[in-house]
Amino acid sequence: MQDDWRSLTDNEKRIVKKLLFGMDIPPSWEIQEYVGHEIDEYGSLALLSRGDNQPANDMNPRLIASGYFDDDNQTAILGPMVEMILFEKNGVLSELQIFRSDGSPLKREIDPDKIFMIEQRQ
């Protein structure tokens, strides 16, 4: 495992839990058992189970959940959104992708309680 893997923050864990809420998840998806490695300036994370020495090497990740967050707090005009997409490879969580739809930096930290339009795929 690389030296720059770290424990997930409480907020990062809450984001993943929110995206998975209500799904019948396998034990291998329990987010408390993961560490993360930041992979871009938006806060996207490669995910690694604490028991693994390296990330899953399957080249075809599978989207399992996605959701949106309004980091602008605009109620009248719907503008660019922050999108979060959770992927798995070989039965383990592999990435939490985070980006703003217009490519600009996030304007504030994601509040997991305000994530909406969650789509889940089993």
Side-chain angles (χ1 to χ4, degrees):
M1 180 164 51
Q2 299 173 6
D3 292 337
D4 50 359
W5 291 88
R6 60 167 175 77
S7 295
L8 299 176
T9 67
D10 288 342
N11 202 54
E12 291 163 343
K13 291 175 191 175
R14 286 180 60 223
I15 291 168
V16 171
K17 286 178 182 179
K18 179 75 174 193
L19 292 173
L20 294 175
F21 182 77
M23 290 179 75
D24 184 21
I25 65 169
S28 61
W29 289 6
E30 289 295 332
I31 197 59
Q32 303 295 21
E33 301 302 318
Y34 281 82
V35 292
H37 165 67
E38 215 163 289
I39 54 177
D40 65 28
E41 67 274 10
Y42 301 107
S44 296
L45 296 168
L47 299 171
L48 180 66
S49 177
R50 289 186 191 273
D52 294 335
N53 289 328
Q54 61 186 16
N57 59 4
D58 182 359
M59 295 302 291
N60 296 312
R62 184 175 72 92
L63 185 152
I64 55 172
S66 63
Y68 294 89
F69 173 69
D70 179 5
D71 67 341
D72 246 349
N73 264 348
Q74 296 183 18
T75 55
I77 301 172
L78 200 58
M81 293 285 160
V82 175
E83 185 169 0
M84 292 139 292
I85 305 173
L86 187 61
F87 294 94
E88 67 92 18
K89 290 182 189 176
N90 297 332
V92 295
L93 299 177
S94 61
E95 182 179 343
L96 173 61
Q97 189 177 79
I98 300 171
F99 60 93
R100 197 158 192 272
S101 59
D102 66 355
S104 66
L106 275 59
K107 295 186 176 186
R108 63 185 174 110
E109 184 177 54
I110 297 168
D111 178 349
D113 293 330
K114 300 205 174 167
I115 295 172
F116 64 97
M117 284 182 49
I118 296 172
E119 180 181 340
Q120 299 171 331
R121 300 179 186 174
Q122 280 284 32

